[in-house]
Amino acid sequence: GQQLNQSPQSMFIQEGEDVSMNCTSSSIFNTWLWYKQDPGEGPVLLIALYKAGELTSNGRLTAQFGITRKDSFLNISASIPSDVGIYFCAGREFYGGSQGNLIFGKGTKLSVKP
Amino acid sequence: ETGVTQTPRHLVMGMTNKKSLKCEQHLGHNAMYWYKQSAKKPLELMFVYNFKEQTENNSVPSRFSPECPNSSHLFLHLHTLQPEDSALYLCASSQASSGGDNEQFFGPGTRLTVL
């Protein structure tokens, strides 16, 4: 079935640095979602994107829906220790009038050194 | 707090046991989902319920049996599981419409260990 390619798999960064991660698909999506999961918890929705080219911010987080509709990226500016966790992208294909199920990437594990 | 609760948070069971996982959503949504999360693998969709009707069963073994008595509650009944079924089981809910559903909100998960 359809899979999302999320990269990088993991990142070790210094506190204060900016972070960038992305997801690509082989087919066109009409929805991109970004989630963060803390250890022992479920994923929490960070940003939802519904239009190609859409750029949306949530505090220090910014995500964009790629123009080709096959990719999305998430940026975190000025990282802080509580940004640690696993970030997942999720997307949904559009099948001519109906929507497919949500498909998830494998996640990007972020570690922040104080 | 996402408005989706799951119990128990942790469960250890033997292969011959029968247990149930419970999910409750307080968001007024009409669709609920069960996902399995294993290490280093993407979230795997197991079951989908829209308006209490099961609309998706992604080739899940019959030892997993879902139940959705109403739009706020979802159960996953477990019977004669295998050690490879050990994982984090996540429940999610969303508001589905004729155009499809949008954001899914997740519960904290049940960490299941099968001995």
PDB file of all heavy atoms in Angstrom, chain A residues 6-11 20-22 107-109:
ATOM      1  N   GLN A   6       9.363   9.668   5.410  1.00  0.00           N
ATOM      2  CA  GLN A   6       9.610  10.779   6.329  1.00  0.00           C
ATOM      3  C   GLN A   6      11.094  10.815   6.671  1.00  0.00           C
ATOM      4  O   GLN A   6      11.692   9.790   7.004  1.00  0.00           O
ATOM      5  CB  GLN A   6       8.782  10.613   7.615  1.00  0.00           C
ATOM      6  CG  GLN A   6       8.925  11.779   8.575  1.00  0.00           C
ATOM      7  CD  GLN A   6       7.964  11.717   9.746  1.00  0.00           C
ATOM      8  OE1 GLN A   6       7.070  10.864   9.790  1.00  0.00           O
ATOM      9  NE2 GLN A   6       8.143  12.601  10.705  1.00  0.00           N
ATOM     10  N   SER A   7      11.676  12.010   6.618  1.00  0.00           N
ATOM     11  CA  SER A   7      13.098  12.132   6.940  1.00  0.00           C
ATOM     12  C   SER A   7      13.374  13.448   7.651  1.00  0.00           C
ATOM     13  O   SER A   7      12.640  14.429   7.464  1.00  0.00           O
ATOM     14  CB  SER A   7      13.945  12.043   5.666  1.00  0.00           C
ATOM     15  OG  SER A   7      13.664  13.142   4.822  1.00  0.00           O
ATOM     16  N   PRO A   8      14.453  13.496   8.465  1.00  0.00           N
ATOM     17  CA  PRO A   8      15.301  12.352   8.793  1.00  0.00           C
ATOM     18  C   PRO A   8      14.617  11.435   9.800  1.00  0.00           C
ATOM     19  O   PRO A   8      13.592  11.792  10.363  1.00  0.00           O
ATOM     20  CB  PRO A   8      16.532  13.013   9.404  1.00  0.00           C
ATOM     21  CG  PRO A   8      15.989  14.243  10.051  1.00  0.00           C
ATOM     22  CD  PRO A   8      14.875  14.726   9.155  1.00  0.00           C
ATOM     23  N   GLN A   9      15.209  10.260  10.032  1.00  0.00           N
ATOM     24  CA  GLN A   9      14.642   9.345  11.028  1.00  0.00           C
ATOM     25  C   GLN A   9      14.877   9.866  12.427  1.00  0.00           C
ATOM     26  O   GLN A   9      14.058   9.641  13.328  1.00  0.00           O
ATOM     27  CB  GLN A   9      15.279   7.963  10.879  1.00  0.00           C
ATOM     28  CG  GLN A   9      14.844   7.219   9.640  1.00  0.00           C
ATOM     29  CD  GLN A   9      15.374   5.804   9.620  1.00  0.00           C
ATOM     30  OE1 GLN A   9      15.857   5.291  10.633  1.00  0.00           O
ATOM     31  NE2 GLN A   9      15.308   5.166   8.476  1.00  0.00           N
ATOM     32  N   SER A  10      16.031  10.519  12.641  1.00  0.00           N
ATOM     33  CA  SER A  10      16.330  11.068  13.962  1.00  0.00           C
ATOM     34  C   SER A  10      17.226  12.281  13.808  1.00  0.00           C
ATOM     35  O   SER A  10      17.933  12.434  12.797  1.00  0.00           O
ATOM     36  CB  SER A  10      16.992  10.015  14.854  1.00  0.00           C
ATOM     37  OG  SER A  10      18.226   9.606  14.305  1.00  0.00           O
ATOM     38  N   MET A  11      17.183  13.152  14.826  1.00  0.00           N
ATOM     39  CA  MET A  11      17.984  14.358  14.822  1.00  0.00           C
ATOM     40  C   MET A  11      18.470  14.643  16.236  1.00  0.00           C
ATOM     41  O   MET A  11      17.682  14.537  17.192  1.00  0.00           O
ATOM     42  CB  MET A  11      17.180  15.578  14.353  1.00  0.00           C
ATOM     43  CG  MET A  11      16.547  15.447  13.012  1.00  0.00           C
ATOM     44  SD  MET A  11      15.602  16.916  12.596  1.00  0.00           S
ATOM     45  CE  MET A  11      16.932  18.058  12.218  1.00  0.00           C
ATOM     46  N   SER A  20      14.295  21.095  10.769  1.00  0.00           N
ATOM     47  CA  SER A  20      13.463  20.917   9.586  1.00  0.00           C
ATOM     48  C   SER A  20      13.318  19.438   9.275  1.00  0.00           C
ATOM     49  O   SER A  20      14.293  18.698   9.301  1.00  0.00           O
ATOM     50  CB  SER A  20      14.081  21.638   8.384  1.00  0.00           C
ATOM     51  OG  SER A  20      13.218  21.567   7.278  1.00  0.00           O
ATOM     52  N   MET A  21      12.107  19.002   9.006  1.00  0.00           N
ATOM     53  CA  MET A  21      11.847  17.614   8.632  1.00  0.00           C
ATOM     54  C   MET A  21      10.802  17.608   7.526  1.00  0.00           C
ATOM     55  O   MET A  21      10.054  18.587   7.382  1.00  0.00           O
ATOM     56  CB  MET A  21      11.381  16.792   9.829  1.00  0.00           C
ATOM     57  CG  MET A  21      10.127  17.298  10.487  1.00  0.00           C
ATOM     58  SD  MET A  21       9.796  16.495  12.086  1.00  0.00           S
ATOM     59  CE  MET A  21      10.914  17.394  13.163  1.00  0.00           C
ATOM     60  N   ASN A  22      10.756  16.523   6.754  1.00  0.00           N
ATOM     61  CA  ASN A  22       9.794  16.515   5.657  1.00  0.00           C
ATOM     62  C   ASN A  22       9.242  15.127   5.383  1.00  0.00           C
ATOM     63  O   ASN A  22       9.770  14.114   5.862  1.00  0.00           O
ATOM     64  CB  ASN A  22      10.430  17.087   4.395  1.00  0.00           C
ATOM     65  CG  ASN A  22      11.503  16.183   3.839  1.00  0.00           C
ATOM     66  OD1 ASN A  22      11.231  15.201   3.162  1.00  0.00           O
ATOM     67  ND2 ASN A  22      12.739  16.491   4.154  1.00  0.00           N
ATOM     68  N   GLY A 107       8.043   8.545  11.367  1.00  0.00           N
ATOM     69  CA  GLY A 107       8.396   9.442  12.455  1.00  0.00           C
ATOM     70  C   GLY A 107       9.817   9.952  12.399  1.00  0.00           C
ATOM     71  O   GLY A 107      10.714   9.318  11.845  1.00  0.00           O
ATOM     72  N   THR A 108      10.022  11.134  12.962  1.00  0.00           N
ATOM     73  CA  THR A 108      11.354  11.729  13.150  1.00  0.00           C
ATOM     74  C   THR A 108      11.544  11.916  14.640  1.00  0.00           C
ATOM     75  O   THR A 108      10.772  12.641  15.276  1.00  0.00           O
ATOM     76  CB  THR A 108      11.461  13.088  12.440  1.00  0.00           C
ATOM     77  OG1 THR A 108      11.344  12.896  11.032  1.00  0.00           O
ATOM     78  CG2 THR A 108      12.784  13.764  12.769  1.00  0.00           C
ATOM     79  N   LYS A 109      12.556  11.258  15.184  1.00  0.00           N
ATOM     80  CA  LYS A 109      12.828  11.366  16.616  1.00  0.00           C
ATOM     81  C   LYS A 109      13.758  12.538  16.850  1.00  0.00           C
ATOM     82  O   LYS A 109      14.890  12.572  16.358  1.00  0.00           O
ATOM     83  CB  LYS A 109      13.462  10.079  17.136  1.00  0.00           C
ATOM     84  CG  LYS A 109      13.671  10.072  18.638  1.00  0.00           C
ATOM     85  CD  LYS A 109      14.203   8.739  19.119  1.00  0.00           C
ATOM     86  CE  LYS A 109      14.370   8.719  20.623  1.00  0.00           C
ATOM     87  NZ  LYS A 109      14.892   7.425  21.114  1.00  0.00           N
TER      88      LYS A 109
END
